[in-house]
């Protein structure tokens, strides 16, 4: 059973403008430690790719926050929600701390899709109820 659906589109140029204004502090606010390490690697090799990586993570977390119905209110925070990658390359959501506890207590499961093009990053998220409350 679907608990919520979220979608987000992000202008990569807006992310670049935030990086220009705030520097790495902006990335540190949005990204988990693991994501921040990946961002550094991608940014060093190809700065535009690093900006698009940050934009896709921003977009995915926005879509997820909409799908769970919290927006950016506790227990949802940027850094407690991480966008990982399975060995197949498929993106997946990894939760931490109080957000993980809240999500698991509700018996939820998440599916995320992210994409980017030169000027835009977009994400689509579906959150399902699993177990005895849902499927």
């Amino acid at each position: 059973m679907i608990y919520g659906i979220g979608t987000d589109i992000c202008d990569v140029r807006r992310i670049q403008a935030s990086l220009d204004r705030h520097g790495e502090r902006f990335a540190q606010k949005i990204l988990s430690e693991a994501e921040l390490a990946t961002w550094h690697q991608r940014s060093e090799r190809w700065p535009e790719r690093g900006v698009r990586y940050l934009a896709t993570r921003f977009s995915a977390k926005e879509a997820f926050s909409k799908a769970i119905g919290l927006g950016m209110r506790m227990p949802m925070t940027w850094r407690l929600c991480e966008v990982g990658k399975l060995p197949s390359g498929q993106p997946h959501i990894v939760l931490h701390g109080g957000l993980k506890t809240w999500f698991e207590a509700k018996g939820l499961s998440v599916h995320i899709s992210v994409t980017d093009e030169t000027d835009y990053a977009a994400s689509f998220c579906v959150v399902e109820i699993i177990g005895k409350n849902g499927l």
Side-chain angles (χ1 to χ4, degrees):
M1 179 176 172
I2 293 177
Y3 180 85
I5 297 171
T7 189
D8 189 75
I9 187 166
C10 177
D11 190 327
V12 175
R13 296 163 295 192
R14 187 174 139 234
I15 297 299
Q16 181 64 64
S18 292
L19 280 170
D20 292 344
R21 265 193 320 278
H22 304 289
E24 188 170 325
R25 285 182 312 143
F26 178 69
Q28 290 170 343
K29 177 182 174 183
I30 304 303
L31 301 174
S32 70
E33 289 301 318
E35 291 169 323
L36 196 58
T38 300
W39 177 72
H40 279 292
Q41 290 172 336
R42 291 188 181 188
S43 295
E44 288 172 14
R45 291 178 55 194
W46 188 7
E48 296 83 14
R49 190 170 177 221
V51 175
R52 286 199 309 271
Y53 175 84
L54 181 55
T56 58
R57 274 46 196 174
F58 185 96
S59 175
K61 294 174 186 197
E62 282 282 334
F64 176 75
S65 73
K66 293 170 185 175
I68 61 173
L70 292 177
M72 286 300 166
R73 292 190 335 251
M74 292 300 283
M76 176 65 198
T77 70
W78 293 108
R79 293 179 51 89
L80 293 180
C81 179
E82 179 179 323
V83 182
K85 187 170 73 169
L86 298 174
S88 66
Q90 177 184 1
H92 71 112
I93 298 289
V94 179
L95 302 175
H96 303 283
L99 181 57
K100 179 179 181 178
T101 302
W102 177 87
F103 192 80
E104 289 174 351
K106 291 196 163 289
L108 302 175
S109 174
V110 60
H111 309 278
I112 189 80
S113 178
V114 299
T115 189
D116 67 274
E117 200 46 62
T118 304
D119 293 333
Y120 297 98
S123 300
F124 186 74
C125 183
V126 176
V127 174
E128 295 179 289
I129 300 172
I130 56 174
K132 62 183 176 183
N133 294 329
L135 299 175

